Amino acid sequence: MPFTNRIFSGIKPSGDLHLGNYLGAIKRFVPLQDDFECIYCVVDMHAITVWQDPADLRRWTYEIAAAYLAAGLDPKKSIIFNQSQVAEHAELAWVFNCVARMGWMARMTQFKDKAGKNSENVSLGLFAYPSLMAADILLYKATHVPVGEDQKQHLELTRDIAAKFNNDFGPAIAAKGYEEEYFPQTEPVIAGPATRVMSLRDGTRKMSKSDAASDMATIYLMDDADAIAKKIKKAKTDPEPLPSEAQGLDARPEAANLVSIFAALADKSVDDVLAEYGGQGFGAFKPALAELAVSVLAPQATEMRRLVADPGEIDTILRDGADRARALAETTMAEVRDIVGFVR
Ligand code: TYM
């Protein structure tokens, strides 16, 4: 294999960050930077596929960068930047728009969910969203992408786009002397106990940035200790005690969600948590969970607030990260132009 292990992942500045983003993504980014070359992006160009007030877009971009840093990402080890500073993302996405098929995009469940019955009126960018995502990843020939479960289908499409590009341009790739598998088959890394954190008010709905239904459904990364504790205390549960084995959570979505959150926050497995709390009711479990969540999240919220209050430090980190990302992106893009037949 010609590819060295390289990690890429991104978060979209389209709302306040929440516990799902932390446990499904950010927390998992941190240990990877010790063993791999890691690139972590704030995907602001994806955010504008639906309308964003420019002031909000800016604020949320800083918030994600602050969350990365507060969680322990080290800008000396990892490349941290925002997508729009590296124009090659848009350029490669255009090439991929011409490789991917309409039918592939139309099958994306996230597009169908977001467009709903209104598909004639959503932006063209929203339809082409997965093509830009493939460009994010393949511009760096990333081999592994840590994400939550909801991104799985987009990553499958990324593999399809890579394979079709490699195939369509096979003769040109060979003629130019590049490796036959020009773009890698990137692996999604969807692991750990909390790849799909659910709403605290409804265990069948995903916790999301745009949950307008209730503020109590979502723990935001900027929440203070009181808000975190209150939301956990008020979280929907059932009257049964916790089971001793994971199987006992099968038809209990709210209980399963809280146990998964506990496990992910404590770096334990669901089985470990149930071994400790099986047989106990939520009267005992919720205060333990609240204490754990506050101890992990509240200090990060404090650090995030400090960083966003004076974003000069973040500006410097994003600019430096963008310079390093661009250096890698330029190499790929020069080769892609050459393969496609663009004259320079
Ligand atoms: P976004 O911004 O919606 O979410 C960022 C990350 O958080 C994960 N996530 C969750 N994990 C567990 N439980 C939840 N309830 C939950 N909600 C969100 C997501 O799976 C994701 O890992 N399309 C992407 C952004 C993107 C990207 C990329 C990701 C653009 N280009 C390239 C990876 C690689 C998105 O909108 O994520």
Side-chain angles (χ1 to χ4, degrees):
M1 273 287 280
F3 304 106
T4 45
N5 281 333
R6 186 181 275 166
I7 309 284
F8 183 97
S9 200
I11 299 185
K12 194 168 65 214
S14 59
D16 292 320
L17 285 170
H18 56 75
L19 185 63
N21 299 131
Y22 178 66
L23 296 178
I26 302 170
K27 181 175 198 276
R28 298 176 43 229
F29 296 170
V30 181
L32 292 168
Q33 61 183 349
D34 294 328
D35 297 319
F36 303 100
E37 190 181 351
C38 295
I39 306 172
Y40 297 120
C41 192
V42 183
V43 291
D44 47 7
M45 296 199 298
H46 276 106
I48 64 164
T49 55
V50 298
W51 168 252
Q52 302 296 337
D53 180 273
D56 286 340
L57 181 65
R58 222 166 268 134
R59 178 166 60 83
W60 285 325
T61 298
Y62 284 128
E63 193 183 295
I64 294 174
Y68 283 169
L69 299 171
L73 289 187
D74 176 351
K76 290 195 192 69
K77 289 186 192 159
S78 300
I79 295 180
I80 298 171
F81 77 110
N82 58 311
Q83 188 186 30
S84 62
Q85 290 206 56
V86 180
E88 283 78 2
H89 287 249
E91 192 179 354
L92 185 59
W94 182 259
V95 174
F96 287 167
N97 282 344
C98 303
V99 170
R101 305 290 92 180
M102 296 280 282
W104 298 3
M105 301 289 160
R107 276 195 292 278
M108 292 293 108
T109 54
Q110 290 224 335
F111 175 74
K112 288 194 263 186
D113 289 350
K114 285 208 174 137
K117 293 195 185 74
N118 198 26
S119 66
E120 291 292 308
N121 270 322
V122 297
S123 75
L124 190 53
L126 189 69
F127 190 66
Y129 182 113
S131 186
L132 178 59
M133 190 161 155
D136 296 340
I137 296 164
L138 297 175
L139 198 46
Y140 305 98
K141 300 186 178 174
T143 53
H144 295 86
V145 178
V147 281
E149 203 179 277
D150 59 355
Q151 296 302 316
K152 190 163 182 250
Q153 197 186 27
H154 285 155
L155 293 175
E156 283 162 6
L157 193 88
T158 298
R159 294 164 65 95
D160 291 342
I161 290 177
K164 189 163 187 298
F165 180 95
N166 292 345
N167 184 63
D168 289 357
F169 292 101
I173 291 168
K176 296 284 175 189
Y178 299 122
E179 288 284 344
E180 190 181 337
E181 196 190 354
Y182 182 75
F183 285 122
Q185 286 287 290
T186 306
E187 297 285 344
V189 186
I190 301 171
T195 55
R196 190 174 176 83
V197 175
M198 308 307 273
S199 155
L200 297 182
R201 304 299 309 162
D202 177 354
T204 64
R205 287 185 44 218
K206 193 180 68 171
M207 188 177 280
S208 79
K209 291 192 203 104
S210 47
D211 194 331
S214 154
D215 249 13
M216 296 305 284
T218 311
I219 293 177
Y220 296 105
L221 294 192
M222 290 284 231
D223 280 349
D224 61 20
D226 285 350
I228 297 169
K230 188 165 148 211
K231 289 176 186 184
I232 291 174
K233 189 164 162 227
K234 297 240 157 109
K236 187 176 167 199
T237 46
D238 56 40
E240 303 295 319
L242 285 172
S244 304
E245 283 171 16
Q247 225 179 0
L249 292 169
D250 278 354
R252 299 174 64 188
E254 284 83 15
N257 190 37
L258 294 183
V259 171
S260 303
I261 291 172
F262 192 112
L265 284 169
D267 286 319
K268 289 183 173 165
S269 68
V270 164
D271 288 332
D272 290 340
V273 177
L274 293 179
E276 193 177 344
Y277 289 96
Q280 299 193 38
F282 287 99
F285 183 68
K286 277 183 170 181
L289 176 57
E291 192 187 336
L292 172 64
V294 167
S295 74
V296 174
L297 301 173
Q300 293 187 57
T302 305
E303 176 64 358
M304 284 171 71
R305 275 190 284 275
R306 183 189 76 75
L307 286 162
V308 297
D310 177 13
E313 190 179 334
I314 297 179
D315 281 329
T316 307
I317 288 168
L318 293 178
R319 220 175 293 128
D320 171 64
D323 288 344
R324 289 155 63 200
R326 198 178 302 110
L328 300 169
E330 275 171 352
T331 304
T332 306
M333 211 48 233
E335 292 176 358
V336 169
R337 289 185 207 112
D338 191 29
I339 289 167
V340 169
F342 292 153
V343 173
R344 289 283 247 196

